[in-house]
Amino acid sequence: GILIGDARLHPFLDFHTNFVSNPNRASTGGQSDLALTVRPGFNLELTGSGTELFFTTNAGYKHYLGLNDQDNSAVTSNLSRLNVGAALEAKFLKQGSLPLNLKIEFLHDETPRNQTLNQKLTHNMISSNLGFDAKPGGGALKFTLNYKPSIDLYPEADEALTTHRHVASFKTLWKFLPKTATFFETSFDALMYLSDTPVLSVDNTDDTSTTTVVNQDIQFFNVYTGLTGSITEKFRVLLRLGYGQALLTETQLATGESNPAGFLGQVDLKFKSSNNIVIGAGFNRTLSGAALYKYMIDNNIYLSSKATLARRWGFSVKGSVSMLEYGKLSIDSTDTNRSDTMIRVEAVASVAVTDWF
């Protein structure tokens, strides 16, 4: 990096293209398009014996070419947008018995709006994370406590989606071998809406009346146990098995709907076939809150491969399939649970231009 006093500055510039088959996830009439993204930014690092600071910021412009634009109702070029991000990470008392970790992050996002053909959904998210790490004795046992509040702000036209979220988590990890550890973790996640503005009006199927749907506050409790570490010099594994439970009241559930609960887990495998090639695969099942539908269960299968050449060139390929299950709209018992399938494929090539950039 570029030395500025005791800090180092690392500027960067990302450029990539991607093909999107249905950017708005429209149920009918979705338009595919090719998008170009340019993302300049920089990282700033300051490291000391007891304190460590890291700041990063970037501004990315994503331009849809509009290859399949037909008329005013299907114009993907209107989705071209600017996303901005900035984050500050700090570590204090690094050499002490109770190190403190702090992170503050800002994100301006203009994602495509669901179930439309040419509209964006703009919002600003501010989040922070405060955490403590404790390693009593020789460090084989580690305790971590984290609290992460955040607020997601939408403009007045979409104020019904504005939320604040609070996540508290505790994790204990025991390294019983030099490169292998077992762990136990638990978390409480509360997602709450700042507005009682209805987000949807739906015609009931049994009469001529209309029901307005309001987003529901929701709380989750998750608990996991597992194993992580290197089985051999080339094989690394992460195994997580857990249980998740939503804490919805009867008035928040549709007729005949029960609180979402069940087993959660993750299997992540990494194989280092050589010093330059790493192959990964895994499965992850999670339970989280979702606007309008109250909750979302994600069953995600993923594959990845990463290779380096001559210490300068980098190549990676990633692919995943997410099978998403949602709750019911809180209107009547005739509504069925929504389910979606999302497929992602990504290929990246990179090159280190100089040794100091």
Side-chain angles (χ1 to χ4, degrees):
I2 303 172
L3 190 61
I4 303 178
D6 294 330
R8 288 190 176 274
L9 179 69
H10 302 269
F12 62 83
L13 175 64
D14 292 341
F15 173 79
H16 64 268
T17 65
N18 65 305
F19 177 80
V20 186
S21 61
N22 186 6
N24 296 91
R25 296 171 290 279
S27 57
T28 59
Q31 298 295 317
S32 59
D33 201 0
L34 186 67
L36 309 177
T37 301
V38 178
R39 189 174 69 96
F42 67 86
N43 301 330
L44 185 65
E45 296 178 284
L46 177 62
T47 302
S49 58
T51 303
E52 182 176 315
L53 298 176
F54 177 81
F55 176 78
T56 182
T57 184
N58 67 84
Y61 178 71
K62 187 169 188 176
H63 181 69
Y64 284 85
L65 299 182
L67 300 179
N68 295 316
D69 286 358
Q70 297 177 358
D71 51 46
N72 291 332
S73 64
V75 183
T76 54
S77 56
N78 289 349
L79 301 178
S80 299
R81 62 190 188 270
L82 177 69
N83 294 338
V84 179
L88 173 65
E89 296 183 48
K91 295 182 179 180
F92 303 102
L93 307 174
K94 290 169 52 180
Q95 308 300 327
S97 59
L98 196 65
L100 171 65
N101 302 314
L102 175 66
K103 182 176 182 180
I104 302 173
E105 188 171 9
F106 168 79
L107 177 66
H108 171 80
D109 193 29
E110 300 178 1
T111 57
R113 185 185 293 268
N114 284 347
Q115 298 294 335
T116 65
L117 295 177
N118 60 357
Q119 298 179 29
K120 295 180 292 187
L121 189 61
T122 300
H123 62 117
N124 297 297
M125 177 178 284
I126 303 172
S127 64
S128 62
N129 186 80
L130 180 64
F132 296 91
D133 293 326
K135 295 181 179 180
L141 190 63
K142 178 180 178 181
F143 299 98
T144 302
L145 182 65
N146 280 292
Y147 170 59
K148 183 178 181 180
S150 63
I151 185 168
D152 200 357
L153 300 170
Y154 287 80
E156 184 176 356
D158 300 302
E159 64 177 354
L161 298 176
T162 296
T163 61
H164 61 105
R165 189 169 197 161
H166 303 267
V167 181
S169 63
F170 171 77
K171 181 177 181 179
T172 178
L173 183 144
W174 175 45
K175 187 181 293 185
F176 60 92
L177 291 175
K179 295 183 178 181
T180 308
T182 184
F183 61 86
F184 170 83
E185 59 183 296
T186 183
S187 66
F188 177 78
D189 186 346
L191 177 65
M192 292 167 281
Y193 293 84
L194 296 181
S195 172
D196 292 330
T197 303
V199 293
L200 186 65
S201 294
V202 181
D203 293 330
N204 291 332
T205 57
D206 55 349
D207 53 42
T208 59
S209 63
T210 299
T211 299
T212 57
V213 181
V214 178
N215 274 319
Q216 305 289 337
D217 295 346
I218 187 170
Q219 294 82 40
F220 292 94
F221 177 77
N222 295 325
V223 59
Y224 288 94
T225 186
L227 181 74
T228 181
S230 299
I231 305 301
T232 68
E233 292 185 358
K234 294 188 175 183
F235 191 68
R236 186 174 180 84
V237 63
L238 168 64
L239 300 176
R240 297 172 75 224
L241 180 63
Y243 182 82
Q245 171 75 60
L247 305 176
L248 289 168
T249 64
E250 291 186 3
T251 58
Q252 294 176 301
L253 297 168
T255 304
E257 185 181 24
S258 59
N259 256 311
F263 287 101
L264 309 175
Q266 182 179 10
V267 178
D268 184 86
L269 307 174
K270 292 286 192 304
F271 178 68
K272 188 175 182 180
S273 62
S274 68
N275 291 332
N276 300 324
I277 300 176
V278 178
I279 301 172
F283 170 79
N284 192 18
R285 177 180 171 88
T286 59
L287 173 65
S288 60
L292 192 61
Y293 291 91
K294 300 185 289 290
Y295 67 88
M296 178 184 72
I297 298 174
D298 183 3
N299 295 285
N300 179 250
I301 302 172
Y302 53 91
L303 296 169
S304 66
S305 179
K306 184 177 181 180
T308 57
L309 181 63
R311 297 185 179 181
R312 185 173 296 273
W313 291 90
F315 304 92
S316 66
V317 178
K318 299 178 182 179
S320 66
V321 178
S322 287
M323 291 160 282
L324 308 173
E325 304 172 12
Y326 297 86
K328 293 182 179 181
L329 296 172
S330 297
I331 44 178
D332 60 41
S333 59
T334 62
D335 295 310
T336 57
N337 293 62
R338 174 179 171 176
S339 61
D340 294 336
T341 299
M342 182 167 60
I343 301 173
R344 293 180 176 175
V345 178
E346 178 181 312
V348 177
S350 60
V351 59
V353 178
T354 71
D355 292 336
W356 52 271
F357 247 22

